């Protein structure tokens, strides 16, 4: 369009010698060319044409979204301008808030910091009043201001230990929170407005913007993570076209945390958001959702810092199993794979989650995993850590667990009875011994004949193992005798007449 307009301008062999100091490019009517030929009003024509071009370009690219061309000064309060100018003032104030200040030095730029805070408060009040019109230029200005203020690189983490070992440490607070909070509140208020058209806003609240927003969940400031949690929940509900990309991005965060770094500050908040997201999944579950369950959620049981987010993780797992019960066997199988061997606190969390899953599992799915499951429970019954042993014994207080054991007692009782007998003979804790006697009484009331059969079979196995142990002891004694045997050195002239003794060892 500009080329077409400029092509219609008159072509002259010479140019104007001087320009007006006001920038209008106007010349004196009596100005002569270099060869002495006068021309009249040529520069005035050019200026007129350029003004036409300027008006047309302004129509195409509004001055309200061009930096430095706001029609209203940003320091003017909204109440002092007309309704027609409030939109321009809104964008002017957003552009003013793109200035960043150093909060590590509390005495630096105090006036500018306070001015920015006041402007941010005005913007929040203006949006909350419902007077703002969210045109594309306004949305672009909001996203630009949020990106400049929020998107930043966090300093590298210098953990000396896992987060689970330092849960009681004081959280770190961002010194710029007085500004960051107002920016978060403004963005949340904008995306919560019913007048905001998601189809228009998606051009600026795009995939890249959301990825950078998700990276902020690694902030060490818990206040920031709480704000991000509310914003992510609102974005997921408002921008339906971004839902698959949000799920994929969160899955990647979980993958990286579980299998690579095991360091992230916002896993609990992300899981809390996805607890409500999972509850909204339609049935039957898509393959993408099943994959998210088995490949993203369940591996989160592996890191050492499980205690920080286990409550939210268990809730998400339960939400999935309420959707499809056959996922319970998958969850239990993977829990047994990631079972902690040396961490007693994680074992307590695993047992509690197992109990919750056993309340929801069907009999058919339970039969698939009952043997490895109760072998693991048997190990927990014999644990030298009294809290783990006690928690494993408390499983029998659950009616659903007892009902499952009742229907499959011929398989489960031989495993558990042997563990109970070992406890009654060897465990050091008196409370655990009392709980063992209580479980044995429950089993006797359930099927006394089967319990007696299991005990007799256990005694038979113990006698066989004792015989085998005695045989091994005798074998090792003979091997030691043979190893300590010193052959007698004979003179060379009679060595052929004496045959050295041989020691036969039979196993």
């Amino acid at each position: 369009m500009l080329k077409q307009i400029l092509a219609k301008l008159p072509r002259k062999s010479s140019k104007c010698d001087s320009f007006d100091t006001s920038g209008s490019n106007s010349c004196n009517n009596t100005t002569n060319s270099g060869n002495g030929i006068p021309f009249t009003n040529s520069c005035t024509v050019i200026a007129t044409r350029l003004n036409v071009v300027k008006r047309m370009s302004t129509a195409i690219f509004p001055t309200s979204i061009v930096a430095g061309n706001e029609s209203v000064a940003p320091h003017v309060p909204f109440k002092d301008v007309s309704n027609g100018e409030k939109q321009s003032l809104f964008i002017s104030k957003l552009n003013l808030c793109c200035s960043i200040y150093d909060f590590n030095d509390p005495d630096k730029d105090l006036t500018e910091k306070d001015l920015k805070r006041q402007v941010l408060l005005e913007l929040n009040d203006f949006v909350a009043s419902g007077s703002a019109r969210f045109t594309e230029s306004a949305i672009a200005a909001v996203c630009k201001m949020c990106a400049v203020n929020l998107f930043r690189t966090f300093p590298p983490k210098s953990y000396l230990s896992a987060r689970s070992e330092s849960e009681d440490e004081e959280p770190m607070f961002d010194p710029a929170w007085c500004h960051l909070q107002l920016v978060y509140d403004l963005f949340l208020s904008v995306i919560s407005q019913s007048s905001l058209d998601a189809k228009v806003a998606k051009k600026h609240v795009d995939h890249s913007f959301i990825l950078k927003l998700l990276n902020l969940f690694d902030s060490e400031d818990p206040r920031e993570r709480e704000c991000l949690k509310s914003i992510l929940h609102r974005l997921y509900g408002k921008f339906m076209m971004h839902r698959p990309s949000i799920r994929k991005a969160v899955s990647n965060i979980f993958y990286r945390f579980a299998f690579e770094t095991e360091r992230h500050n916002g896993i609990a908040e992300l899981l809390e958001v996805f607890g409500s997201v999972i509850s909204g999944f339609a049935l039957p579950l898509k393959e993408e959702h099943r994959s998210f369950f088995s490949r993203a959620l369940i591996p989160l049981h592996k890191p050492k810092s499980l205690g920080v987010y286990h409550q939210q993780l268990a809730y998400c797992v339960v939400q999935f199993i309420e959707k499809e019960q056959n996922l319970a066997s998958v969850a239990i199988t993977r829990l047994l794979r990631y079972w902690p061997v040396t961490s007693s606190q994680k074992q307590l969390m695993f047992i509690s989650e197992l109990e919750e899953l056993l309340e929801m599992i069907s009999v058919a799915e339970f039969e698939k995993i009952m043997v490895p499951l109760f072998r693991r429970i048997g190990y927990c019954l014999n644990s030298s850590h009294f809290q783990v042993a006690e928690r494993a014994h408390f499983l029998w207080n659950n009616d659903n667990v007892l009902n499952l054991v009742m229907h499959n007692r011929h398989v489960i009782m031989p495993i558990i009875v042997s563990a109970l007998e070992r406890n009654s003979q060897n465990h050091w804790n008196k409370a655990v011994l009392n709980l063992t006697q209580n479980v044995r009484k429950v089993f006797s009331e359930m099927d006394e004949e089967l319990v007696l059969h299991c005990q007799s079979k256990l005694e038979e196995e113990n006698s066989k193992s004792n015989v085998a142990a005695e045989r091994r002891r005798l074998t090792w004694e003979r091997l030691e005798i043979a190893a300590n045997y010193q052959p007698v050195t004979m003179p060379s002239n009679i060595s052929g007449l004496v045959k050295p003794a041989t020691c036969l060892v039979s196993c």
Side-chain angles (χ1 to χ4, degrees), residues 465-480:
S465 62
N466 291 336
V467 171
E470 181 66 19
R471 188 184 299 116
R472 284 194 301 272
R473 188 184 66 81
L474 295 174
T475 300
W476 279 108
E477 286 182 357
R478 288 192 293 270
L479 287 172
E480 289 175 357

Side-chain angles (χ1 to χ4, degrees), residues 315-433:
Y315 178 77
C316 289
V317 172
V318 168
Q319 290 296 311
F320 263 108
I321 295 174
E322 286 181 350
K323 296 288 184 180
E324 285 192 8
Q325 282 193 340
N326 59 357
L327 293 176
S329 60
V330 177
I332 293 176
T333 302
R334 300 292 291 275
L335 282 178
L336 296 177
R337 179 186 302 178
Y338 296 122
W339 195 272
V341 178
T342 59
S343 175
S344 57
Q345 295 303 315
K346 284 186 68 175
Q347 289 183 22
L348 292 172
M349 290 184 279
F350 273 51
I351 295 173
S352 298
E353 188 170 354
L354 278 178
E355 182 177 7
E356 197 168 2
L357 296 179
L358 289 174
E359 292 179 352
M360 306 171 64
I361 196 171
S362 63
V363 175
E365 294 295 321
F366 174 75
E367 292 174 353
K368 297 178 182 179
I369 45 89
M370 60 182 178
V371 173
L373 171 61
F374 278 89
R375 281 177 183 167
R376 175 55 64 185
I377 292 175
Y379 294 145
C380 294
L381 291 171
N382 299 141
S383 174
S384 58
H385 194 287
F386 76 97
Q387 289 180 329
V388 175
E390 282 182 345
R391 187 65 186 84
H393 282 83
F394 289 153
L395 287 174
W396 313 109
N397 295 334
N398 190 302
D399 293 337
N400 292 318
V401 175
L402 280 179
N403 187 41
L404 292 170
V405 173
M406 169 71 76
H407 287 85
N408 300 276
R409 57 185 180 276
H410 294 284
V411 178
I412 296 174
M413 275 194 180
I415 301 173
I416 300 301
V417 168
S418 62
L420 296 176
E421 291 298 324
R422 286 192 294 270
N423 259 8
S424 60
Q425 297 173 9
N426 303 321
H427 209 282
W428 62 273
N429 188 271
K430 186 175 180 180
V432 173
L433 291 175

